[in-house]
Amino acid sequence: LGRRWMPVIVCPPSLKWRWTPTQVRTVVGLFFLGTINNIVYCIINSSGQNLCHHFGAENWLGAILWCNIFFGFFARLVNTFFLEKTRHSYRILSIGAMTAAGLIIIIISIILGNHFFWLCLVGITFAGTASSFGESVCLGYLKHGFPPEVVNAWASGTGMAGVAGSGIYMILKLPFINLADEWTFLLMLPLIFVYWFCFFYMIKPSSALAPSLPAAGEKTGLLGEENADEAGLPITPSPPVLTRRPAHADEHSVNAAAAAAAESVDADVGEPQALPATPTPSVVESGGLPVETTMHRILRCLKISLWFAAQVRTQTGGNDTIIHHSH
């Protein structure tokens, strides 16, 4: 995208993360939200072989995995380009509804018997698409000012889904339990209400999760803080600043600005002058982020897709060459 699109980030003083009941509640809620979001997807993958055997379609295991994954790509695109103005709460409700519809369709297809494998694939498509759509929605929701510790809880939950999903299915298929597949999927339906409960009642807005400021006289490890404390000056952490280097700025202008600031400090040590303001280009919004229209976003996705396709084609061609030489 070019050098002028690279942001220059000025990091704020590090604030100490202090666990409060609200923060613990949000972290636990996000962990279970990530786990439940992906656990149905993992259970479907674990039960794929048994489903194929039930419908007499042992050679169609790939179709189950494909339906569980493929349409999620389009769900992510829809969420990115067409649902920006839709409230996250509405999207979370739709995710639960899609998951419930997928599970119910899978249960009905298993009950109906061998000739309804296509109906089972429809249900798998609904459930898998809801899982991918949920990942995109939740990650988009977490970008609105949530601290890293909270985002890590969501990531840990999605990782736990793989372990929990395959583990639950393995336990339910032990010889002394051997629960039927339709009952296994039926047990997953109550998790949708837990999913909604975690989002609407356990997760608090990002404004309530700001890390606590240091107490009076507490050391934060900043350079020169001891001198400021001895002089009786207040220690106030600066807010995060996100800006970009202007396209016309070069090394000479930056050095000139630094020299001017040094001269102003030397002239009056008691009251140091502020650094000259850096002109901000017109393409920067009030929040400090570059403007990216929908068309820019589509072009960027197309470039990434073309590059990825070229890489896959190159690797595939190399494998074909190796196979040819081996023959």
Side-chain angles (χ1 to χ4, degrees):
L1 295 178
R3 181 179 177 182
R4 69 187 187 93
W5 285 96
M6 298 297 293
V8 179
I9 301 177
V10 181
C11 296
S14 58
L15 300 180
K16 186 175 295 185
W17 177 264
R18 298 176 179 177
W19 292 101
T20 63
T22 301
Q23 293 165 351
V24 172
R25 175 179 172 179
T26 300
V27 166
V28 173
L30 280 172
F31 178 81
F32 282 106
L33 193 74
T35 303
I36 298 173
N37 187 85
N38 286 10
I39 196 169
V40 174
Y41 165 85
C42 297
I43 288 180
I44 290 175
N45 284 343
S46 300
S47 63
Q49 187 173 2
N50 285 340
L51 290 176
C52 290
H53 179 72
H54 176 80
F55 289 102
E58 285 78 5
N59 297 328
W60 288 87
L61 177 60
I64 292 179
L65 303 179
W66 185 82
C67 290
N68 204 18
I69 297 172
F70 179 74
F71 293 97
F73 171 75
F74 298 100
R76 295 175 189 270
L77 290 181
V78 169
N79 179 63
T80 302
F81 298 119
F82 303 104
L83 298 180
E84 293 182 356
K85 304 298 184 181
T86 306
R87 295 171 60 92
H88 286 89
S89 57
Y90 297 157
R91 287 184 258 180
I92 291 294
L93 290 173
S94 65
I95 292 167
M98 289 178 61
T99 305
L103 290 174
I104 292 173
I105 293 174
I106 294 174
I107 294 171
I108 293 175
S109 66
I110 295 175
I111 295 175
L112 291 178
N114 296 343
H115 301 290
F116 290 89
F117 180 65
W118 62 271
L119 185 61
C120 180
L121 293 180
V122 172
I124 292 172
T125 301
F126 271 93
T129 303
S131 178
S132 299
F133 184 52
E135 285 189 356
S136 180
V137 171
C138 291
L139 289 176
Y141 178 72
L142 291 177
K143 75 178 182 180
H144 297 294
F146 283 89
E149 289 81 0
V150 175
V151 181
N152 290 339
W154 156 263
S156 301
T158 56
M160 185 64 184
V163 179
S166 57
I168 290 173
Y169 190 79
M170 180 182 65
I171 293 174
L172 295 179
K173 287 299 179 180
L174 290 176
F176 58 90
I177 299 178
N178 196 21
L179 193 65
D181 287 331
E182 56 268 27
W183 287 102
T184 301
F185 291 111
L186 186 63
L187 289 177
M188 297 297 107
L189 283 174
L191 293 179
I192 298 172
F193 298 98
V194 181
Y195 185 79
W196 287 336
F197 176 81
C198 290
F199 182 83
F200 289 105
Y201 296 101
M202 294 191 68
I203 299 175
K204 291 298 180 182
S206 57
S207 59
L209 299 174
S212 304
L213 294 177
E218 184 178 349
K219 303 297 183 181
T220 59
L222 300 178
L223 182 62
E225 185 182 48
E226 292 79 8
N227 297 332
D229 191 21
E230 293 174 359
L233 298 177
I235 303 173
T236 305
S238 59
V241 179
L242 177 61
T243 182
R244 293 187 301 166
R245 189 186 300 276
H248 60 274
D250 53 8
E251 184 178 359
H252 176 72
S253 60
V254 173
N255 293 336
E263 291 178 0
S264 63
V265 172
D266 294 337
D268 190 0
V269 179
E271 297 179 0
Q273 303 295 324
L275 292 175
T278 303
T280 305
S282 59
V283 295
V284 178
E285 294 178 338
S286 59
L289 298 176
V291 175
E292 186 180 25
T293 62
T294 302
M295 183 56 65
H296 288 158
R297 203 174 290 177
I298 294 174
L299 292 176
R300 177 162 54 84
C301 291
L302 288 176
K303 290 180 181 179
I304 295 175
S305 301
L306 291 176
W307 175 86
F308 181 75
Q311 296 296 321
V312 172
R313 183 178 181 183
T314 302
Q315 295 177 3
T316 305
N319 294 335
D320 293 342
T321 305
I322 294 174
I323 295 173
H324 177 74
H325 285 297
S326 63
H327 286 297

